[in-house]
Amino acid sequence: MEHTILGTTLVCQIAMIVRDVEKATLRFAELLGVPAPTIIMANEDGSDTVSYMGQPTKGRVRLSFFHMENVVIEFIEPTNDPSTWKEFLETKGPGVHHIAFKAKDRMLETAAKLEEFGFPLIQNGNKYAYVESTDDLGVILELLDID
């Protein structure tokens, strides 16, 4: 796999944009018959350096994560901060926002390769990068700098 652009074929996360993260989290937990995970406000303290469309933004967002057997399901409720999440909700409504691949220690390098491939970087933080691939794939790709 090291010779592919992504360096992997393993999807580690699927994320949905929702209007109400509490409601979505409780309903999904009920569906699965599991306890609802904690809802967090990401980047509330501003410790992550976030850029959206080349401009700095606070990048705050409300999240919950379901750690499934084979993938993490993420629910995202945008705040009013400029972001791909807010734009998605405003233009498309709730739905699947991205699928994520692990890119440990090669996130920005992989994002640069994807840009050459025709998928430009639209938002990134210290541990994630989103590339615009919806015209070709129907979904945004995320690169996660995680183990």
Side-chain angles (χ1 to χ4, degrees):
M1 289 296 119
E2 64 274 354
H3 300 294
T4 67
I5 295 170
L6 287 172
T8 184
T9 58
L10 180 65
V11 172
C12 63
Q13 183 187 89
I14 300 170
M16 277 67 68
I17 300 293
V18 296
R19 294 186 199 287
D20 183 335
V21 73
E22 284 96 353
K23 180 180 176 183
T25 299
L26 290 173
R27 288 295 284 166
F28 199 61
E30 182 181 15
L31 173 72
L32 298 176
V34 300
T38 302
I39 295 165
I40 63 167
M41 174 69 85
N43 208 35
E44 189 169 24
D45 64 358
S47 61
D48 192 8
T49 304
V50 180
S51 175
Y52 171 62
M53 303 300 280
Q55 299 298 314
T57 183
K58 290 182 181 177
R60 293 172 302 170
V61 65
R62 299 185 71 222
L63 307 170
S64 69
F65 297 95
F66 286 85
H67 295 271
M68 311 294 285
E69 211 172 304
N70 57 342
V71 70
V72 173
I73 303 296
E74 178 183 23
F75 288 99
I76 303 169
E77 179 186 329
T79 64
N80 285 326
D81 298 339
S83 69
T84 182
W85 312 299
K86 181 179 181 221
E87 178 187 348
F88 186 97
L89 186 59
E90 289 175 347
T91 61
K92 295 180 171 85
V96 176
H97 179 261
H98 66 264
I99 59 173
F101 296 86
K102 289 183 185 179
K104 179 67 177 163
D105 297 326
R106 57 184 171 76
M107 180 186 76
L108 293 178
E109 173 187 322
T110 303
K113 289 179 184 176
L114 287 167
E115 191 141 20
E116 289 175 15
F117 188 70
F119 296 163
L121 180 67
I122 55 172
Q123 182 171 314
N124 66 287
N126 296 339
K127 295 287 184 184
Y128 72 92
Y130 292 121
V131 296
E132 179 55 75
S133 52
T134 54
D135 284 347
D136 292 344
L137 306 179
V139 68
I140 291 168
L141 298 180
E142 180 182 29
L143 305 168
L144 289 171
D145 189 1
I146 60 173
D147 289 322

